[in-house]
Amino acid sequence: MVIWVPDWPVAAAAGVSGRGVGEPIAVLEKGKVLATSAAARAEGVRRGQRARDAQSRCPELVVLKYDPVLDARAFDPVISCLEAITPGVQVIRPGMCALKARGPARFYGSEEAAAEKLLDRLETYDVPGSRIGIADGPFAAEQAARASSARTRVHVVPPGGSREFLAPLSVDLLEQPALTDLLRRLGLRSLGAFAELSGTEVLTRFGPDGGFAHRLASGADDRPVTGREIPPELTRTLDFEPAVDRVDQVAFAVRSIADELVVRLTGLGLVCTTLRVEVGTESGRVHEREWLHPRWFTAADVVDRVRWQLQGSGTATSELTSPVVRVRLIPGQVDPVGAHADGLWGGGPDERIHRALSRVQSMLGHGAVVSVAIGGGRGFAERQTLVPWGDPPVPARPPDQPWPGSITGPDPRRWPVLAPTTIFPEPIPAKVFAANGAVVSVTARGELSGAPVAFTLRPSGGTGVQVADSNKIHPISSWAGPWLSTDRWWDPATESRQARFQFQTADTRAWLFTLTQNTWRAQATYD
C-alpha cells in the first residue's frame, strides 16, 4: 500500500512562505521547475521548464526555492500521524510512503476500508487530496496511486495483476534515462514490451540495473517494505515553579533528570558524547550550549556542565541575573557503549587524568584547564590555540591553508622537509669525498634563535678541530688548508639561519662536517 500526496513540494514550500496551495506556484531546483500547483499547470507550467519560460506562460506565477531539508521536515509529522493508527510506515520520499497492507486490511476488514481510514486520518490532519495505490509490490502500488483520480482516490490492483496493469505504461517510469533512451531506440516504448524479453538476456545485455528494471516492468518487484525505526526519546526537561535564582539549587534539581538520562542510555546500550544544555530564564531568553566529553557523560558530568553554563566562563557567583524556569538536556550524539570500551589492558591512566582535570575544571571554571591544538600560522606562538578541556580540538586557524613566510623547515627541493625544532638523536654529518686540492663547500641550516653553533671538520676516521663560532675563521694547517671563506646569514626564502664554509683539501680523502647542535643539518659539495 503506497500513500501519495500530490504536489507535496509545493504544499511544504507554500506552508512555510504563507502561500495557499490554490495559487499558481512553482518550486524550482537548479533553475528548473520541480513541482507545480494545479493552478500553475492549468496555465501551462510544466515540470522541467526553466523559470523564465514558466513565468512567460503564467505572469502571476509564484516561484519558490526547493529545500530538501524543509521538505523532509514538513513530511515527518504526516508519518507520525499515520503511525498513530498503523505501524511500519516506510518513507519512500517526502510526499510518498509505503506500508504492508495485510495488517490494516485484517484490522479494518478489507484493503479498501483500511485505505479509506488512512485517507480520513490525513484529512483530519489537514493533508487533503491524498491518494492510495495497492498492488503486489511498491513499484506497481506507486503507479496505481498515480493512476487514481480525485473522485476515485483508492486504486487496487488485483493480486497477481501487476504485470497486466503495468503493461501499457511508458518505460520512462523506470527513471533510468540511459536505459529508457536505449529501449526507445530499440522500439520498446512500453513496460509490457520490455517485460516480454527474456530476463536472462536482459541481464546479460543491460547488466544488474537493467535486470532490476525488467523485474519492475514484469510486476515481480520483491522489495520488502521496512518501517522506519522511531528513535527513542532521550530529551529530559525540568520545569521550575516557582523560578529558581541560585546556581546550587538548579544543579541539585538537575541531578534527578541527569540520572534518568544516564539510566535510559544505559538501558539502550548507548553513551552520550555530545550534550546540548538549554536553560530558559524568566526574562524569556534561552541560553544553550553544546558540550563535548573526551569519553562519555555520567550524571555527575551532566550536573557539572549545567553548573558551569549557569556560572559562565571562569566565574563562581551563586546568584543568577534572571531566575531559571526550565532546563533541557538534549543528547546531541550517542554512540554504542562498545565503541568506547576500554582495551584489553584497560584505560585506567586516561580515566584518572580525565577525572582529575574535570575536577579542577569544575572548581576553577570551564576555561581554566586547556589543551593545545596546533593550527596554521607563520610563527610558533600563533599556531597554537588553547582549547578548554573536553571541547573539540579545533584550531583558530586552519592548518591546511598556505601560510606564506611561515617557518615550515628547509626547502624540500634541496633539503629534507624538517621542522626547525626537529632534534635528531645524533648530529647528522655532511660527508663528501674530495680529491687533493678540491674546494669543498659546506652549507648548514638551522633555527633563527639559539646559542652560537659549533662545527667540527675532520677527515673520515681521523680527529678534527672544532670551530667554536661560525663567524670566526680558524686555519687547520695540520691536515687541511685554512678556510677560504666563511659566512652566516638569514635566508628569507626558507626562513632559516644558514652558514657556509669553504676550504681546500690537502690530500684525497673523505671529509665529514659535523654539527654539534642536533637541530641543524648540513650539506657538503665540492668543485
Side-chain angles (χ1 to χ4, degrees):
M1 184 181 297
V2 171
I3 304 172
W4 174 49
V5 183
D7 305 329
W8 175 255
V10 175
V16 174
S17 61
R19 299 282 184 173
V21 292
E23 303 180 29
I25 300 175
V27 179
L28 301 184
E29 183 184 26
K30 298 181 180 179
K32 294 185 177 181
V33 177
L34 176 67
T36 62
S37 63
R41 286 193 295 271
E43 297 292 335
V45 180
R46 295 293 182 265
R47 182 177 180 178
Q49 290 179 343
R50 295 188 177 274
R52 182 171 298 180
D53 296 338
Q55 290 175 334
S56 66
R57 294 175 179 266
C58 180
E60 299 82 10
L61 185 67
V62 178
V63 176
L64 301 177
K65 184 178 180 181
Y66 176 67
D67 187 353
V69 177
L70 172 65
D71 209 23
R73 187 187 301 118
F75 194 63
D76 188 71
V78 179
I79 301 301
S80 302
C81 169
L82 295 175
E83 288 175 338
I85 60 175
T86 176
V89 180
Q90 176 185 355
V91 180
I92 300 177
R93 66 179 68 91
M96 181 176 293
C97 58
L99 54 91
K100 295 181 179 179
R102 179 177 301 176
R106 289 181 177 179
F107 185 81
Y108 294 105
S110 65
E111 295 175 345
E112 292 83 354
E116 293 292 341
K117 183 64 177 180
L118 293 175
L119 291 176
D120 293 341
R121 177 71 176 179
L122 293 175
E123 290 286 347
T124 58
Y125 202 75
D126 198 19
V127 184
S130 302
R131 303 177 187 180
I132 294 180
I134 304 174
D136 295 334
F139 179 73
E142 177 183 348
Q143 306 311 319
R146 295 183 182 275
S148 60
S149 61
R151 178 174 300 181
T152 306
R153 299 169 58 187
V154 179
H155 190 117
V156 180
V157 178
S162 296
R163 178 167 182 167
E164 182 181 355
F165 167 73
L166 295 173
L169 302 181
S170 173
V171 293
D172 295 333
L173 298 177
L174 297 174
E175 296 182 353
Q176 296 188 24
L179 175 63
T180 56
D181 180 68
L182 181 57
L183 293 178
R184 285 184 174 277
R185 284 185 285 153
L186 293 175
L188 304 175
R189 301 180 180 276
S190 64
L191 294 178
F194 183 41
E196 292 295 332
L197 300 179
S198 170
T200 304
E201 295 179 357
V202 170
L203 182 63
T204 303
R205 173 64 179 82
F206 300 105
D209 292 340
F212 174 70
H214 184 265
R215 291 197 302 272
L216 295 183
S218 304
D221 185 7
D222 56 354
R223 292 174 297 172
V225 175
T226 305
R228 68 169 187 171
E229 295 184 2
I230 303 177
E233 181 60 37
L234 301 177
T235 302
R236 292 295 182 267
T237 305
L238 178 63
D239 295 319
F240 294 95
E241 182 62 36
V244 179
D245 59 354
R246 291 185 61 86
V247 175
D248 53 353
Q249 294 176 346
V250 176
F252 180 78
V254 166
R255 180 72 190 210
S256 61
I257 62 173
D259 289 333
E260 293 179 6
L261 176 61
V262 173
V263 171
R264 176 62 172 162
L265 290 172
T266 304
L268 297 173
L270 303 173
V271 291
C272 178
T273 58
T274 303
L275 179 69
R276 188 168 82 249
V277 178
E278 296 181 358
V279 179
T281 61
E282 199 173 35
S283 62
R285 298 184 59 186
V286 177
H287 305 271
E288 61 177 275
R289 177 169 179 176
E290 194 171 76
W291 299 87
L292 287 87
H293 199 283
R295 293 173 66 86
W296 62 80
F297 283 98
T298 62
D301 295 329
V302 174
V303 175
D304 287 340
R305 268 55 175 189
V306 174
R307 182 187 299 111
W308 298 342
Q309 184 165 328
L310 293 173
Q311 291 176 344
S313 178
T315 63
T317 59
S318 59
E319 298 290 341
L320 298 174
T321 57
S322 180
V324 177
V325 296
R326 174 176 294 182
V327 175
R328 296 185 66 199
L329 305 178
I330 307 173
Q333 180 177 352
V334 293
D335 299 327
V337 66
H340 296 270
D342 293 334
L344 179 62
W345 307 111
D350 293 338
E351 181 67 19
R352 289 197 299 268
I353 292 173
H354 167 65
R355 288 184 179 275
L357 294 180
S358 299
R359 178 61 179 169
V360 175
Q361 194 176 35
S362 65
M363 293 186 296
L364 301 181
H366 178 61
V369 181
V370 297
S371 58
V372 179
I374 303 299
R378 293 175 175 82
F380 300 118
E382 62 178 321
R383 290 182 60 191
Q384 63 181 5
T385 303
L386 300 181
V387 181
W389 175 257
D391 288 0
V394 179
R397 302 175 182 86
D400 54 347
Q401 293 184 359
W403 294 93
S406 60
I407 303 177
T408 57
D411 186 356
R413 295 171 297 180
R414 296 177 295 169
W415 303 82
V417 180
L418 299 169
T421 54
T422 302
I423 299 179
F424 305 101
E426 297 291 339
I428 300 178
K431 183 177 181 180
V432 60
F433 184 86
N436 184 16
V439 177
V440 179
S441 299
V442 183
T443 305
R445 296 174 184 264
E447 293 182 350
L448 172 63
S449 59
V453 181
F455 308 99
T456 299
L457 178 66
R458 63 182 177 84
S460 179
T463 58
V465 178
Q466 178 172 307
V467 182
D469 191 348
S470 58
N471 283 338
K472 300 178 181 179
I473 301 177
H474 290 257
I476 310 176
S477 56
S478 59
W479 46 271
W483 297 105
L484 299 181
S485 64
T486 179
D487 192 11
R488 184 172 64 178
W489 72 98
W490 169 254
D491 185 6
T494 59
E495 293 197 358
S496 61
R497 190 169 62 170
Q498 302 185 16
R500 179 175 297 164
F501 304 90
Q502 287 186 339
F503 67 96
Q504 190 171 8
T505 58
D507 51 9
T508 301
R509 66 178 69 191
W511 299 91
L512 294 178
F513 184 82
T514 306
L515 307 172
T516 57
Q517 281 200 6
N518 297 8
T519 58
W520 282 59
R521 176 165 256 194
Q523 180 178 5
T525 59
Y526 71 94
D527 298 328

